[in-house]
Amino acid sequence: MVAIPFRIPRPRLGRVLLPLLVLALVAVSIVRFGGYADARQGYTVPQDGQLESALGIRFTQAAVVGDGGLVELRYVVLDTQKASAFQNDTKHPPRLRNERSGKLAWRTALMKQGHELRPGQSYYLLYLNNDNAIKRGDKIEVTSGQRRLAHVPVR
């Protein structure tokens, strides 16, 4: 009797390699994009109850805008009468001092809204960023009269 060799079928390379590649792609995607949450630190501006009581506003944000040429200082109205007095005092706007370098931004454009201020509403002041005195990541001191609010982070 003649023996016929029994041949075991081999799986094709594609049937094994393709599922392995798909599994590797899924694993890399999970590790790269979905393995953890990457949240930025929260942005908080220091508060000073005496300053807020005197001016009728709360500073909420300082940001370098306009391709670095302007600094925007945002605030929320707490007391409309005091905030109106603050906004109408065009001769003495708050000054911004970079805590790291000591440079000042003092030339401002007061944004007169043309109507009564509303409590809880946000408003802003724009400053010319003289010689790039203030940069993103710096901390500034906001001075209004004799009152100061230090360590305000700049976005």
Side-chain angles (χ1 to χ4, degrees):
M1 191 177 229
V2 177
I4 301 177
F6 181 69
R7 193 170 156 197
I8 301 173
R10 294 186 312 178
R12 292 189 173 171
L13 185 59
R15 288 184 183 167
V16 173
L17 191 57
L18 184 61
L20 287 176
L21 287 175
V22 169
L23 184 62
L25 180 64
V26 168
V28 167
S29 297
I30 288 172
V31 169
R32 172 67 176 99
F33 300 110
Y36 58 93
D38 186 21
R40 291 184 180 177
Q41 289 182 343
Y43 179 82
T44 51
V45 174
Q47 296 179 3
D48 181 347
Q50 292 178 344
L51 179 104
E52 293 171 3
S53 176
L55 301 179
I57 63 168
R58 174 178 295 143
F59 292 108
T60 58
Q61 176 177 290
V64 175
V65 297
D67 202 25
L70 298 171
V71 177
E72 178 186 82
L73 184 63
R74 288 194 168 267
Y75 60 92
V76 172
V77 171
L78 303 174
D79 181 314
T80 55
Q81 289 180 334
K82 291 177 182 178
S84 291
F86 165 77
Q87 194 175 53
N88 291 330
D89 188 6
T90 59
K91 303 270 189 224
H92 306 99
R95 292 175 21 151
L96 309 180
R97 185 184 65 83
N98 187 324
E99 292 181 351
R100 181 183 46 80
S101 68
K103 292 183 179 179
L104 294 172
W106 51 271
R107 294 182 63 192
T108 184
L110 298 174
M111 299 292 115
K112 182 69 175 151
Q113 301 301 321
H115 59 276
E116 287 188 32
L117 300 176
R118 290 180 275 168
Q121 183 70 38
S122 290
Y123 299 92
Y124 61 93
L125 304 171
L126 286 177
Y127 290 82
L128 177 64
N129 195 5
N130 311 323
D131 300 320
N132 282 334
I134 298 170
K135 297 181 174 113
R136 286 179 179 91
D138 286 341
K139 291 193 185 252
I140 61 171
E141 179 181 78
V142 180
T143 305
S144 182
Q146 297 298 319
R147 295 178 172 30
R148 298 174 192 269
L149 182 62
H151 314 303
V152 177
V154 179
R155 289 184 152 181

